[in-house]
Structure formats: structure tokens, C-alpha cells
Amino acid sequence: GENVEQHPSTLSVQEGDSAVIKCTYSDSASNYFPWYKQELGKRPQLIIDIRSNVGEKKDQRIAVTLNKTAKHFSLHITETQPEDSAVYFCAAKGSNYQLIWGAGTKLIIKP
Amino acid sequence: NAGVTQTPKFQVLKTGQSMTLQCAQDMNHNSMYWYRQDPGMGLRLIYYSASEGTTDKGEVPNGYNVSRLNKREFSLRLESAAPSQTSVYFCASSDALVVGGELFFGEGSRLTVL
């Protein structure tokens, strides 16, 4: 069946450094790829998304890139700050119009 | 504007008991969803309702039933709770008419089945 693989499961970076989280999807018909951030004990919230007709999208310190040929997309966070510590989920909207979720990446920002 | 509201926030059940999780949204969204979240497994779709009057199974529907009561409300029922249903449950809504469609989540309901 359709699936989304997300790596790494845990990522620890020094404050101020960059963090990259990668996802691979299986359904070639997927056309929408959101990223959600979930702080400890809170609800997931959308931080950025990208559609299949775009290769890259930026919003301040956050960027997402999409490679449709390779069927993978990545989240890039630059100049990481303590408030970036959270679990990040990628997802892909499949041919049944529902989101298929990655398993999540726990991002730890070391002071 | 409360967004998505779900109740209760916490519940402890004994095996075999039943309960209903309630969800309501005030954003006039067409689509509503129920997810469960378990450690290391991300979000798994239980049931969804693309529009008022319709419901469909998601990835893990066994042991659950849903009701789309009206456009605002979407409830999840556990008829005979099992320890495997211990999880955090999230209700979400989206405007399905928008391509993509951001999901707006409730605060979550933590359910423990003993």
C-alpha cells in the first residue's frame, strides 16, 4: 500500500545550526506535501506545505524542497532555536485524497 | 472562534466498557477526521467524513464507529474498549474544497484502557 518513510526518527543539533528531515513517498500520484509540528503535549500544527508543481518553498527560517522524480521531499530549518524543539511529521496526499503520514522526527535543539 | 473542540481530554476505561469521544468545529469545514497517535507510529486515520452525511473507513477502523451528526459535529464511539485502544485521539477538520487543505486539530483526548 501507499506509505511515507521519514528519517531520521531523532535528530539532535546545536542551537544555531541547520536541521534537515527527509521523507520518501510511494504514490506517484501524490500532489500535496505538508509538514506539521507537534510540541510536547500539544496538537499538530501546519508549518509549511508544498504542491507538486513547485520545487521549493520558503518561509523565513523554514524551507521545503520536493523532488518528484525521486519521490522525496525534505524540511530544512536554518539557525535553529530552542523553540524549534518538537516532533515534525511529513505527509503526502495520496490518490484517495487522504493524507499518508510519516512516523515523525523528534528534533532536539542543544543549547 | 474556538476551532476544533473535543471532549473529554482524559478518560480511563475498563476492558469491555464503551464510550464516545465528541468533536465539534466552528470553521464551517466540510471534512472531519479521527486519528489515533501512538508512540513511534505517527498519526493513523481511523475514520473520516468528507462531507455532511458521509463517513468512510481509514487505515485502522476496527473497533470503532463514527457519526457525523451535522456539519459541525463528528463523534467516535468505542463499543467494547480493548487495551490496544489505549492511545491519544485527535479530531481534525479541513475545508475539502481547497486544494491541499490544512488540517486543524483538536487538543487531543488521552484514553487509557485497563
Side-chain angles (χ1 to χ4, degrees):
Chain A
E2 299 159 4
N3 74 303
V4 173
E5 293 187 0
Q6 182 172 348
H7 300 281
S9 56
T10 304
L11 178 61
S12 182
V13 301
Q14 206 71 37
E15 181 178 348
D17 288 349
S18 296
V20 180
I21 302 169
K22 299 180 179 180
C23 289
T24 303
Y25 61 97
S26 60
D27 185 354
S28 56
S30 295
N31 59 5
Y32 174 67
F33 308 90
W35 286 88
Y36 283 76
K37 175 183 180 182
Q38 186 178 27
E39 296 177 357
L40 187 62
K42 301 291 181 67
R43 72 190 85 188
Q45 291 187 298
L46 180 71
I47 55 170
I48 195 167
D49 58 12
I50 191 167
R51 289 168 173 75
S52 58
N53 58 346
V54 175
E56 184 176 4
K57 183 177 179 180
K58 290 183 179 179
D59 183 3
Q60 300 183 337
R61 297 186 297 108
I62 293 173
V64 58
T65 58
L66 171 65
N67 183 327
K68 285 204 70 180
T69 302
K71 291 193 285 187
H72 65 70
F73 56 111
S74 301
L75 178 71
H76 304 254
I77 306 174
T78 59
E79 300 173 10
T80 53
Q81 300 171 4
E83 55 264 36
D84 295 328
S85 292
V87 177
Y88 292 80
F89 292 98
C90 65
K93 181 159 280 192
S95 52
N96 66 352
Y97 304 105
Q98 299 306 319
L99 287 175
I100 309 298
W101 296 82
T105 296
K106 183 177 183 180
L107 178 61
I108 301 166
I109 308 299
K110 296 181 289 185
Chain B
N1 190 338
V4 179
T5 304
Q6 56 181 108
T7 57
K9 288 184 171 53
F10 301 94
Q11 184 74 49
V12 178
L13 292 177
K14 295 180 180 178
T15 297
Q17 288 185 319
S18 62
M19 76 159 298
T20 300
L21 297 174
Q22 307 284 357
C23 177
Q25 52 92 10
D26 61 4
M27 294 174 283
N28 201 35
H29 285 164
N30 290 303
S31 298
M32 298 186 73
Y33 310 81
W34 276 106
Y35 286 93
R36 61 177 288 173
Q37 184 175 38
D38 302 294
M41 299 190 74
L43 291 156
R44 292 186 292 170
L45 183 63
I46 304 170
Y47 270 94
Y48 66 100
S49 173
S51 60
E52 186 179 357
T54 69
T55 60
D56 286 286
K57 295 178 180 179
E59 182 184 357
V60 288
N62 291 344
Y64 306 94
N65 284 300
V66 291
S67 295
R68 182 75 181 266
L69 305 170
N70 47 56
K71 191 171 186 179
R72 290 187 64 248
E73 298 173 287
F74 188 39
S75 64
L76 178 72
R77 183 161 178 83
L78 287 69
E79 290 291 352
S80 179
S84 60
Q85 294 178 304
T86 294
S87 188
V88 179
Y89 292 85
F90 284 98
C91 177
S93 70
S94 72
D95 183 355
L97 296 179
V98 175
V99 174
E102 177 179 357
L103 283 178
F104 293 85
F105 286 87
E107 291 185 309
S109 299
R110 184 174 295 275
L111 175 64
T112 301
V113 183
L114 303 175

